Every structure is written in C-alpha cells, then in structure tokens.
Amino acid sequence: MALIIIAVMLSGCVMNGSTSAPSTPPQVTPTQTSVVIVENEEEIPVPVLESPTVTTPVVTPEPAIPPVAELEIGKNKQSYPYTTRSQSQFLYFDTYSGVNTYLQERYPDRPTDFYNVSTLEGYYREYVNDPVQKVYLDDLIENIHDRSDLPQERARIAVSLIQHIPYKVTTRTYYPYEVLSYNSGKCEDKSILAAYVLSQMGYGTALLLYYPEHHMALGLKCPKKFSINNSGYCFVETTTPTIMTFNNGTYTGVGRLKSQPEIIRISEGNSFEQMEEEYTDAQALDMVMRGAVFNSSGIYLDTINYNQISYLNKKYGLFESGSSSSG
C-alpha cells in the first residue's frame, strides 16, 4: 500500500531579508562613576536651590478611530474549513476592507534589535491589543463558541481552522484580522492569530521563535510533560494542518527544527490540560513517518502504518491524499 501525501511545510517566513542571530552579542561599556570623599571640611557651602527642569515627553498621537460606516465597507463573506473528531466543517465570518485599511495605518515599526526578546514582546503584543480589531474578532470567537460547549473542543476548532488557512509569504507582518480577511499568511502571521484567539479563550499563549530556521510556531500553555523542552508550552504548528505537539516535520530548505526556540510570551491564562490525546497521536504520527519510505512519487507505507496514518488523517484533516497499490 502507498499513500501519496502532499503537505507543504514551509520555512523562511519570519524576518524577511534578515540573517541568523549574530555569533557574539554586542559589547556594552558600563557607565563609569567617580566618587570623591572630602574629609575635615571646615565650611559646608549652602546649596543653591534651582528650579528643576521639566521635560515634557513627546507623545505620538494615536490615529483616530474611524466611524463604523468607514470601517464596515467592502464586506466579504468568508468560509474557513476545519476538522475535529473526524468531522470536517466550515465556519463563516464577514470581513471588511475598511478594517484592513485602519490596521495598515497603525502598523508598528519593526524593532531594530530583533534578537532582544524583551523588545519583541512589546512588538508582537501590539498586534493582539488593538481595540478595533478586538471588536470584529470577537464575532469570530463567538462563532467558535457556538460550535461546542467544551472549552478544549473550542480550542481544537480554532487551531484546526487557522492551520487550514492557506500559507503565503507576505511582505510585512499581518495583524490577526488581516490573516482572516486575506485568508492567507506566513508562519509569523498565523501564529500571532492563533495566540490572539486562544488568549481570548482564556489560555496562556506564547510565540516560539526559531532564529536559525526563520520559523515561528504557537506555544500553548500545557502540562510540562507534553511541552517543548519542558517549558510549559506545547508546540503547535500553524502553517499547515498537523497534530498539536508534533514538531518533527520537515521544512523546505531547512529540514527539521534543531534550534532551541525563543519564547515570547503573549498572554497569561489557563493550561490546555487535555493535551494527552494529541500528544499520543503525535507520537503515533512520528512513528509512522520514521517507518516510511520516501521517493519522488510520495511516501510509501506498509499496511499497518498506512491504516494508522489514514486514521490520523481523517481525525485531524492532515493531508490532501490519495492511495494506490504498490507494485
């Protein structure tokens, strides 16, 4: 038996035009301070009090929020596929080009020191804290809530939906709303969207930034035994449908992720305690892939592994697939 799997696992989607982290950190020269001790001073001069100089900080005015009539122009009804529990469905959501225009005018400057995690935390939080964006994304989250009464199932729907949004290299970082509106995004864009949606559902989230591979994934707060490097955050790929905690995929031009990720915390919140099911399935997927035979036509599996991956494919909507008989 053979299973031909078409799965695009892409890299190079963070920091367009940048290179890997510098081999040595920049040298910082400490400020030197002199202290003079005067002994047996006969006269103590009377200090002359001067009015302190008050410096008024320069405040950059926030762009005005347009009226609703300007935001809600260019309405477009979108449909987003997702798969959970072997059930494939669509979620429908209206987007507006007026909201995109508003967000593009607020696009923050990229930090000059892209290797400083403390700088990046503020940078990425700008993407998830816009008040206008929140109003419209609340509708999406409410639609997801209507699909299940169980918090963990809502999270699974959100992850699958975002994974199924087509991957596309973008010239700048998209806001979460823009990913939905354009129905596309690179790993950075889609990971920020996932962090936003799951944080609004009450979960602790982070961005996992792999500098050498130029890749980003979602970090979802979870039990440490299932987490990446015992960090308390589970690895969640966002560029393509796969199983939460599975991190042994092959990325174009990079291979497997080998570096230790920088953890950029986005929100505090609850832990996804029900991760054992995904972790077990991810381990099964890894075993199948390790036993597969790769060639230019696809991935060839024995009967046992074929049946296993067919089950996982149906449960999570992993691949566009077809089957054929091997000679």
Side-chain angles (χ1 to χ4, degrees), residues 63-83:
I65 296 178
V68 172
E70 291 184 22
L71 291 169
E72 295 187 359
I73 62 173
K75 182 178 178 180
N76 185 26
K77 189 175 186 65
Q78 306 267 22
S79 62
Y80 306 97
Y82 67 90
T83 300

Side-chain angles (χ1 to χ4, degrees), residues 31-81:
T31 302
Q32 296 182 351
T33 305
S34 299
V35 178
V36 178
I37 301 175
V38 180
E39 297 180 354
N40 301 322
E41 187 69 39
E42 295 181 357
E43 295 183 4
I44 301 177
V46 178
V48 177
L49 300 178
E50 298 181 357
S51 299
T53 302
V54 178
T55 303
T56 303
V58 178
V59 178
T60 303
E62 289 286 333
I65 296 178
V68 172
E70 291 184 22
L71 291 169
E72 295 187 359
I73 62 173
K75 182 178 178 180
N76 185 26
K77 189 175 186 65
Q78 306 267 22
S79 62
Y80 306 97

Side-chain angles (χ1 to χ4, degrees), residues 214-226:
H214 288 189
H215 187 68
M216 180 180 285
L218 170 70
L220 177 59
K221 189 175 180 181
C222 68
K224 283 191 174 183
K225 61 183 177 180
F226 306 131

Side-chain angles (χ1 to χ4, degrees), residues 132-311:
V132 171
Q133 174 179 242
K134 182 180 186 304
V135 170
Y136 291 93
L137 288 182
D138 280 351
D139 290 339
L140 174 80
I141 295 169
E142 190 62 34
N143 287 343
I144 294 175
H145 279 203
D146 291 342
R147 299 299 175 105
S148 177
D149 295 329
L150 300 175
Q152 65 269 22
E153 292 305 312
R154 294 169 179 168
R156 288 172 172 131
I157 291 170
V159 167
S160 179
L161 184 152
I162 294 167
Q163 289 176 336
H164 278 83
I165 292 175
Y167 174 92
K168 180 183 177 181
V169 176
T170 56
T171 57
R172 60 179 177 83
T173 307
Y174 280 173
Y175 274 84
Y177 184 87
E178 291 182 286
V179 176
L180 293 165
S181 182
Y182 299 131
N183 194 31
S184 63
K186 59 183 181 296
C187 63
E188 183 183 33
D189 310 326
K190 295 175 70 178
S191 295
I192 298 170
L193 170 60
Y196 176 87
V197 172
L198 290 166
S199 68
Q200 294 300 304
M201 291 181 172
Y203 290 100
T205 62
L207 301 173
L208 305 179
L209 182 53
Y210 293 82
Y211 280 122
E213 295 90 350
H214 288 189
H215 187 68
M216 180 180 285
L218 170 70
L220 177 59
K221 189 175 180 181
C222 68
K224 283 191 174 183
K225 61 183 177 180
F226 306 131
S227 68
I228 188 77
N229 299 332
N230 205 36
S231 65
Y233 290 98
C234 281
F235 179 97
V236 181
E237 180 60 56
T238 61
T239 58
T240 193
T242 190
I243 305 171
M244 289 193 288
T245 74
F246 180 78
N247 65 341
N248 282 332
T250 300
Y251 295 80
T252 303
V254 173
R256 295 190 177 186
L257 300 174
K258 297 178 181 179
S259 66
Q260 301 298 315
E262 297 283 358
I263 298 177
I264 304 169
R265 289 172 175 80
I266 298 299
S267 66
E268 300 298 329
N270 298 325
S271 172
F272 190 96
E273 292 295 315
Q274 296 78 18
M275 193 63 79
E276 184 171 5
E277 179 179 355
E278 275 77 9
Y279 182 80
T280 301
D281 286 343
Q283 295 296 302
L285 176 61
D286 189 46
M287 290 289 292
V288 169
M289 301 307 290
R290 291 179 184 276
V293 176
F294 295 80
N295 62 27
S296 59
S297 300
I299 304 174
Y300 286 78
L301 307 167
D302 61 26
T303 301
I304 294 175
N305 283 332
Y306 176 84
N307 291 335
Q308 176 75 305
I309 203 169
S310 296
Y311 162 75

Side-chain angles (χ1 to χ4, degrees), residues 111-122:
T112 54
D113 182 7
F114 212 83
Y115 302 100
N116 185 331
V117 174
S118 62
T119 301
L120 289 178
E121 285 181 0

